[in-house]
């Protein structure tokens, strides 16, 4: 048994990871070194060694100009209906836009998804259009919007003003079944871009259309955004550990860690899973639900694989969303 297979087998044997039906245990799986938090000292009870769940990425704190709107509604604005699903590419080796459906798992227990189970609304972030296996550093999800062109992730995964980063929905083993989408603009709160405030670790990315076609029309819609300040919910999380090129999923119980942060216990969310959406009211048949958070915030998402954090999505997140919609 080679090294990668041995690591997967060990995780499965110890109960930290479950292989989905038909998934081979030869998946390359390893604990990924995570970038040390640049602002750990500002986090509640954080230590200087706190680490993030993002893989290696360009500076996450580059100079930025994006700021929140002067005022915002505390409730989510109505978004346009999703565009019809696109026809699957004849060369696509993974789930088509018509529907992978991540399964509900044993509470807190992650499993590797097989290709047919993958959601086309979830993908990996690469720092360039070269989607070399193992070169992705964060996770993002499509969020429903009038123009159908928005993704949501953690702020420490992208930098406002950053160019060159791409989103690859449904990514698996070096393939891009639903295209490689350039992130044309990044919208982050000035409290993050200026001071790295852990309570503002969320970003919206605007992706450029392809031949007049929106991202949502290519992947079959997006998840709705909830900014009502939810602190307790059962959520579905699907993310991309940077040590492998296959996503994992987990159903877990989110709870309040503080008045501004959420916490959840789900195994094996290592480096690369930063930005993973927390989807409440998840319907596995329709692959639908409401995003109440993303892995990030305290310790930039957590310094252990089995416990993750998110900021509470409230009026500030709603303001960012409205700003991104207006771009």
């Amino acid at each position: 048994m080679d090294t990668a297979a041995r690591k997967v087998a060990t995780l499965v044997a110890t109960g930290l990871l479950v292989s989905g039906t038909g998934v081979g245990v030869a998946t390359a799986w390893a604990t990924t070194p995570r970038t040390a938090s640049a602002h750990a000292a500002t986090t509640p009870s954080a230590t200087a060694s706190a680490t993030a769940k993002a893989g290696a990425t360009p500076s996450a704190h580059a100079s930025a100009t994006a700021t929140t709107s002067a005022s915002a509604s505390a409730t989510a604005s109505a978004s346009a209906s999703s565009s019809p699903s696109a026809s699957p590419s004849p060369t696509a080796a993974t789930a088509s836009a018509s529907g992978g459906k991540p399964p509900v798992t044993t509470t807190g227990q992650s499993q590797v998804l097989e290709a047919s189970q993958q959601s086309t609304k979830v993908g990996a972030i690469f720092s360039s259009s070269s989607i070399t296996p193992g070169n992705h550093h964060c996770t993002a999800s499509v969020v429903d919007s009038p123009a159908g062109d928005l993704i949501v992730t953690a702020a420490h995964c992208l930098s406002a003003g950053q160019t060159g980063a791409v989103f690859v929905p449904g990514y698996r083993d070096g393939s891009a079944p639903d295209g490689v989408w350039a992130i044309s603009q990044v919208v982050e709160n000035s409290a993050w871009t200026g001071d790295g405030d852990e309570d503002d670790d969320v970003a919206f990315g605007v992706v450029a259309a392809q031949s007049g076609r929106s991202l949502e029309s290519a992947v079959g819609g997006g998840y709705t955004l909830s900014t009502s300040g939810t602190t307790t919910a059962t959520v579905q999380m699907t993310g991309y550990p940077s040590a492998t090129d296959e996503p994992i999923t987990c159903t877990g119980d989110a709870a309040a860690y503080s008045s501004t942060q959420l916490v959840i216990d789900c195994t094996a969310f290592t480096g690369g899973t930063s930005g993973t959406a927390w989807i409440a009211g998840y319907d596995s048949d329709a692959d639908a639900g409401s995003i109440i958070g993303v892995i990030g915030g305290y310790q930039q998402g957590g310094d252990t694989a089995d416990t993750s954090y998110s900021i509470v999505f409230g009026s500030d997140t709603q303001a960012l969303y409205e700003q991104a919609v207006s771009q």
Side-chain angles (χ1 to χ4, degrees), residues 210-252:
Q210 295 185 6
S211 301
R213 189 184 190 199
S214 73
L215 174 61
E216 282 194 53
S217 68
V219 302
Y223 300 112
T224 59
L225 180 70
S226 173
T227 56
S228 60
T230 300
T231 57
T232 303
T234 296
V235 301
Q236 190 78 14
M237 303 197 307
T238 300
Y240 282 86
S242 56
T244 183
D245 285 292
E246 299 169 337
I248 63 172
T249 198
C250 179
T251 308

Side-chain angles (χ1 to χ4, degrees), residues 113-156:
L113 289 176
E114 55 182 305
S116 63
Q117 295 174 313
Q118 285 189 229
S119 171
T120 57
K121 301 171 187 176
V122 179
I125 295 177
F126 292 77
S127 58
S128 74
S129 59
S130 175
I131 58 168
T132 306
N135 197 34
H136 49 93
H137 64 269
C138 275
T139 302
S141 300
V142 181
V143 60
D144 192 31
S145 67
D149 61 354
L150 295 186
I151 59 172
V152 64
T153 188
H156 71 262

Side-chain angles (χ1 to χ4, degrees), residues 94-110:
T94 64
S96 70
S98 59
K101 299 170 183 177
V104 173
T105 71
T106 300
T107 301
Q109 181 70 64
S110 297

Side-chain angles (χ1 to χ4, degrees), residues 108-304:
Q109 181 70 64
S110 297
Q111 71 177 59
V112 178
L113 289 176
E114 55 182 305
S116 63
Q117 295 174 313
Q118 285 189 229
S119 171
T120 57
K121 301 171 187 176
V122 179
I125 295 177
F126 292 77
S127 58
S128 74
S129 59
S130 175
I131 58 168
T132 306
N135 197 34
H136 49 93
H137 64 269
C138 275
T139 302
S141 300
V142 181
V143 60
D144 192 31
S145 67
D149 61 354
L150 295 186
I151 59 172
V152 64
T153 188
H156 71 262
C157 290
L158 296 170
S159 296
Q162 180 181 16
T163 60
V166 298
F167 172 66
V168 184
Y171 173 76
R172 188 182 185 92
D173 295 331
S175 67
D178 296 295
V180 176
W181 298 77
I183 301 173
S184 59
Q185 296 184 67
V186 177
V187 180
E188 298 175 341
N189 197 309
S190 59
W192 172 265
T193 59
D195 301 316
D197 190 329
E198 66 169 9
D199 291 332
D200 292 285
D201 193 2
V202 62
F204 291 93
V206 181
V207 300
Q210 295 185 6
S211 301
R213 189 184 190 199
S214 73
L215 174 61
E216 282 194 53
S217 68
V219 302
Y223 300 112
T224 59
L225 180 70
S226 173
T227 56
S228 60
T230 300
T231 57
T232 303
T234 296
V235 301
Q236 190 78 14
M237 303 197 307
T238 300
Y240 282 86
S242 56
T244 183
D245 285 292
E246 299 169 337
I248 63 172
T249 198
C250 179
T251 308
D253 294 325
Y257 178 71
S258 69
S259 61
T260 58
Q261 299 278 330
L262 305 176
V263 64
I264 194 168
D265 291 327
C266 267
T267 60
F269 275 77
T270 55
T273 60
S274 279
T276 294
W278 301 31
I279 304 173
Y282 182 66
D283 181 338
S284 60
D285 290 330
D287 188 20
S290 298
I291 300 175
I292 66 167
V294 295
I295 291 182
Y298 178 50
Q299 296 175 339
Q300 292 191 4
D303 63 358
T304 62

